[in-house]
Amino acid sequence: MAEIIQKDGTWAFDGDALRLTPGRDRNVSLLRRTLGELVVPLGALAGISFEQGKKSGRLRLRLRDGADPLLHASGGRLIEPNDPYQLLVESDRYGVAEYFTDEVRNALLLDEVPSDPVDAYLLPGPSVPLSVSAGDGTASFDGEQIRLEWNWKTEDAKAAAGARTLAVTDVVAVEWQPAVGLENGHLRFTVRAAATKAPPKYDPNSVELWGFKKDPLMALVAAAVQARLPHPAAAAVLDVPPQEPPKQLAPAGRHEDDHDALLRRLRELGELHRTGVLTDEEFTMAKQAVLKRM
């Protein structure tokens, strides 16, 4: 077993999974403390790296696309110090960090773990029930229903309709966007047959975020909901009517107009076909659509 203990947290690897425990240091982010311990199966990993600095270094895990609902729901916008897949390493522990990295890399090679995307979540997402107050409202999720309640800072036009209760079965997408610069962020739920393009400030299915300390916790609500939605890799193909070529073959936000991305998509389609997610006809149609773009 390999283990590295730091103020920032403790990472342990037993050959089958990595156990990531946040530290108790005051500099550890509120999101990581709230998320708690993560167990990452080896099969969910695409790689690991260790970067040395003059005073401190950093261990980083890279997960396979589609393995973690938190990474998907946040769209890669969780950066240090909120990224649970980074660990700050003090300079006197560089040797331990290098050993830890080698152990994980060797296990990936021995188990022949591929680095391509997956078509099912390999992590369960944050535990529920979960409730977060930030921005202009409170978002709560019990595993079946999402409840949005408003506060005194909510725009009158949105607050007038009162609290919202959404069944997770009616939600087709969820997105968390942090506030950046002068642009506010949001937690937005796209509801079946009721999509809206209204700004989060006026959207009754969105919580507007202003960049305060608790904003990142809304990403946990987004991830908990995302974990209970159909996996985007399969849904992106299966939701397209058979008579039309797929207009989008990957989760929203991914740009696949370059050659390497299209090759990755072909491999992903092949895996979906081998595992029975796609029929022969669906696989042929989706493959032809990708080849035309190449």
Side-chain angles (χ1 to χ4, degrees):
M1 179 172 173
E3 184 178 58
I4 179 167
I5 303 173
Q6 294 290 274
K7 293 179 180 179
D8 196 38
T10 298
W11 285 13
F13 176 57
D14 62 5
D16 295 319
L18 289 94
R19 192 173 297 273
L20 316 179
T21 307
R24 297 182 179 180
D25 188 76
R26 63 180 182 179
N27 292 323
V28 176
S29 74
L30 179 60
L31 181 144
R32 288 179 57 206
R33 294 200 304 268
T34 304
L35 182 60
E37 186 176 82
L38 282 175
V39 177
V40 183
L42 185 65
L45 283 186
I48 182 173
S49 64
F50 174 57
E51 304 161 4
Q52 292 189 17
K54 291 184 178 179
K55 295 183 178 180
S56 62
R58 194 172 298 277
L59 272 169
R60 299 179 190 268
L61 294 181
R62 183 166 59 90
L63 270 64
R64 298 169 65 186
D65 288 347
D68 182 16
L70 175 60
L71 293 183
H72 180 77
S74 61
R77 302 181 187 97
L78 276 181
I79 59 175
E80 195 278 328
N82 293 314
D83 186 351
Y85 301 112
Q86 296 187 34
L87 181 70
L88 196 65
V89 179
E90 297 168 9
S91 58
D92 62 345
R93 306 297 287 173
Y94 282 179
V96 177
E98 290 172 346
Y99 170 75
F100 188 92
T101 302
D102 288 341
E103 287 292 292
V104 176
R105 282 178 177 168
N106 290 338
L108 288 171
L109 289 173
L110 289 173
D111 285 20
E112 298 182 344
V113 177
S115 60
D116 55 343
V118 296
D119 59 3
Y121 292 123
L122 302 181
L123 281 86
S127 58
V128 294
L130 183 62
S131 183
V132 176
S133 296
D136 69 350
T138 297
S140 304
F141 182 52
D142 63 5
E144 296 181 356
Q145 291 186 325
I146 304 151
R147 184 167 177 81
L148 303 177
E149 300 174 275
W150 313 117
N151 56 38
W152 65 272
K153 294 170 284 188
T154 308
E155 192 70 22
D156 290 343
K158 185 163 74 172
R164 298 276 288 174
T165 299
L166 307 173
V168 71
T169 52
D170 292 332
V171 174
V172 296
V174 58
E175 178 190 49
W176 172 79
Q177 170 75 54
V180 179
L182 298 178
E183 294 188 10
N184 292 340
H186 62 261
L187 170 67
R188 186 193 296 273
F189 300 97
T190 301
V191 180
R192 183 178 289 105
T196 175
K197 294 183 179 179
K201 184 176 183 178
Y202 303 105
D203 182 3
N205 296 326
S206 298
V207 176
E208 187 179 33
L209 304 173
W210 300 313
F212 297 130
K213 184 178 180 180
K214 289 188 176 181
D215 282 11
L217 295 183
M218 285 292 184
L220 300 183
V221 178
V225 174
Q226 184 66 56
R228 289 159 177 81
L229 299 181
H231 192 276
V237 174
L238 297 178
D239 287 347
V240 177
Q243 69 274 19
E244 298 179 4
K247 295 180 180 179
Q248 182 180 353
L249 299 174
R254 291 184 60 192
H255 302 285
E256 299 198 357
D257 292 329
D258 63 279
H259 189 266
D260 290 341
L262 292 171
L263 288 176
R264 289 196 300 271
R265 184 54 183 158
L266 283 175
R267 289 194 294 269
E268 180 182 350
L269 288 171
E271 182 62 26
L272 290 173
H273 183 228
R274 283 192 297 274
T275 56
V277 175
L278 295 180
T279 64
D280 292 345
E281 183 181 353
E282 290 169 337
F283 171 70
T284 300
M285 184 182 302
K287 182 176 70 173
Q288 289 175 349
V290 174
L291 292 176
K292 285 180 181 179
R293 294 175 62 185
M294 295 177 69

